[in-house]
Amino acid sequence: MKVIITENYNEMSKAAADLIAEEMNKKPNMVLGLATGSTPVGTYENLIKYNKENKVDFSQITTFNLDEYCGLNKENEQSYWYFMHDNLFNHVNINHNNINMLDGTNPDAEKECTSYDEKIEKAGGIDLQVLGMGHNGHIAFNEPCDYYSKGAHKVELQESTINANKRFFEDISQVPRASYTMGIGNIMHAKKVVMLVSGAEKAETVAKAFNGAIVPQVPASVLQLHNDFVLIMDKDAASKFSK
Ligand code: F6R
């Protein structure tokens, strides 16, 4: 595990974008796993800038997003489909046929998730997976529980996650109660994983996840077992972490 601690959010975002750009330049047709949420927004802004400056090329890149809310269609501004287009895809030269996201409107969870796993496999697996981390240590929407999940699956969101995500909705009743998500297995099979964490309110969870025991009750802790894992965080998030 490699740890990079930056002064603030902007530096974290630049460090992450630089790492992603370097990997994209090494393998222009790479398979890139992407996350939503507020943490990677600055990273995506930097990647958009690099793309406009011709420092990075998305034309042959294939993407797979981690997760999507159940029941929200693409036009819904709170859907992750909308978020990714608004914050990245609509501003770079990506081939839109190469964008893959779970379809939260498909009522057949089994079919949707199995076909997502198959698409990832067919693409040759994920070369670089970008991750954020929830306040309770969740990665993608793998909430704290008693086991690690393998492939994509449907999850019921925990109260703390619903509360954390209500800021994006008009009121809490509108936050979807379930989502489709990649499993821990999908994430652990990525060749390289980069996680971004920002802010003092996640410092406790960072320490638990990366100084503590590897347990599914703190899902992110499993990344300690990944052999090419880079944790990039600002100094507030790192304030309770010991190197
Ligand atoms: C998003 C995702 C989530 C977020 C996590 C942190 O695709 O998979 O695990 O990374 O909830 O969210 P923010 O960055 O908003 O704190």
Side-chain angles (χ1 to χ4, degrees):
M1 162 166 145
K2 183 178 170 194
V3 180
I4 300 171
I5 298 172
T6 64
E7 203 49 41
N8 53 39
Y9 176 82
N10 286 346
E11 278 185 22
M12 177 202 75
S13 302
K14 182 163 186 314
D18 288 352
L19 183 151
I20 297 165
E22 193 185 325
E23 295 297 319
M24 287 171 69
N25 288 329
K26 267 195 242 162
K27 188 175 177 187
N29 63 347
M30 81 184 291
V31 179
L32 186 55
L34 295 170
T36 58
S38 26
T39 315
V41 170
T43 302
Y44 297 154
E45 280 168 7
N46 278 290
L47 287 173
I48 292 168
K49 182 168 159 273
Y50 295 164
N51 185 239
K52 296 209 186 316
E53 294 167 354
N54 291 321
K55 289 181 184 155
V56 76
D57 176 25
F58 280 81
S59 64
Q60 297 175 65
I61 298 288
T62 296
T63 64
F64 284 89
N65 260 83
L66 287 170
D67 39 22
E68 179 60 282
Y69 285 122
C70 288
L72 300 192
N73 59 29
K74 296 174 177 178
E75 288 76 40
N76 190 312
E77 291 187 17
Q78 316 304 341
S79 73
Y80 285 170
W81 193 95
Y82 191 98
F83 174 98
M84 285 308 301
H85 285 75
D86 200 32
N87 285 284
L88 182 66
F89 299 146
N90 288 346
H91 312 287
V92 293
N93 68 332
I94 194 163
N95 176 345
H96 284 240
N97 295 325
N98 294 342
I99 294 169
N100 297 283
M101 296 193 67
L102 284 152
D103 177 1
T105 63
N106 185 349
D108 190 338
E110 178 68 28
K111 201 166 167 197
E112 182 60 27
C113 294
T114 307
S115 100
Y116 205 60
D117 287 343
E118 285 167 2
K119 275 190 215 159
I120 295 173
E121 203 182 314
K122 207 165 152 213
I126 293 167
D127 289 303
L128 172 62
Q129 177 65 56
V130 178
L131 290 182
M133 183 183 72
H135 294 84
N136 60 5
H138 72 225
I139 48 176
F141 272 128
N142 295 279
E143 300 278 26
C145 67
D146 296 333
Y147 58 90
Y148 291 119
S149 57
K150 215 165 136 193
H153 59 287
K154 183 177 179 176
V155 285
E156 305 299 325
L157 303 187
Q158 289 186 0
E159 213 50 46
S160 64
T161 302
I162 294 168
N163 269 312
N165 290 1
K166 70 175 185 231
R167 67 192 194 277
F168 299 113
F169 294 81
E170 260 172 38
D171 75 84
I172 193 162
S173 67
Q174 293 177 357
V175 187
R177 273 21 190 188
S179 77
Y180 291 153
T181 180
M182 277 192 204
I184 297 287
N186 300 111
I187 294 168
M188 289 299 281
H189 281 132
K191 293 172 193 97
K192 189 178 187 85
V193 177
V194 56
M195 173 181 272
L196 319 178
V197 195
S198 168
E201 66 284 358
K202 289 187 184 165
E204 190 96 31
T205 312
V206 165
K208 261 198 212 158
F210 302 113
N211 292 137
I214 300 163
V215 288
Q217 290 78 12
V218 187
S221 64
V222 74
L223 293 161
Q224 293 184 52
L225 297 175
H226 196 282
N227 63 8
D228 192 357
F229 170 53
V230 186
L231 172 61
I232 307 180
M233 52 186 169
D234 60 24
K235 68 172 198 283
D236 289 344
S239 55
K240 294 190 173 156
F241 169 78
S242 45
K243 248 188 175 181

